[in-house]
Amino acid sequence: MTSIDMPWPLQLVVAAFLLFGALVALIGSWGLAKLPDFYTRLHGPTKASTLGVGCTLIGSLLYFSHQQDGVSVQEALVTIFLFATAPVSAHMMGKAALRRRLPGVSGTRNLPDR
């Protein structure tokens, strides 16, 4: 079975998930490069990995589930693992930065006292 055999609404949904995921990942990587301090830089890639890569994996899950006539277990497991671990790791990095008293830009609220 080829991708041409997919119904066009499913092709549209898969393409939408892939394009949206790529756009969010691009915006997240731009945020990592351009934001001024660690605390704000942490936000961009966290959202990009959760939402951008998550949408890409959901699009992949839909495509391969249709091709294999069943749920693609690999993509489902990676998506669940990503949604469970990305926010936790970002939270732990933020707590470590606060404990190490990393400086932030002026105007950032709730920074540790120096």
Side-chain angles (χ1 to χ4, degrees):
M1 181 179 293
T2 64
S3 63
I4 297 173
D5 296 335
M6 282 177 53
W8 70 269
L10 184 58
Q11 289 180 7
L12 187 65
V13 169
V14 168
F17 271 115
L18 292 177
L19 288 174
F20 184 71
L23 179 67
V24 170
L26 176 68
I27 292 169
S29 63
W30 180 73
L32 177 64
K34 294 294 182 182
L35 291 172
D37 66 345
F38 176 81
Y39 301 104
T40 54
R41 267 186 257 140
L42 182 63
H43 185 70
T46 303
K47 298 301 176 200
S49 69
T50 304
L51 187 60
V53 178
C55 284
T56 305
L57 282 169
I58 291 172
S60 174
L61 176 112
L62 292 173
Y63 176 78
F64 285 111
S65 293
H66 180 268
Q67 296 298 321
Q68 298 172 357
D69 294 327
V71 176
S72 179
V73 178
Q74 292 88 357
E75 281 87 2
L77 290 174
V78 170
T79 304
I80 291 168
F81 182 74
L82 175 76
F83 286 156
T85 59
V88 173
S89 63
H91 177 71
M92 296 307 288
M93 284 187 281
K95 284 181 72 169
L98 285 172
R99 183 172 291 246
R100 294 193 66 191
R101 299 184 186 277
L102 289 180
V105 295
S106 63
T108 303
R109 295 182 292 175
N110 299 327
L111 286 177
D113 296 328
R114 282 250 150 195

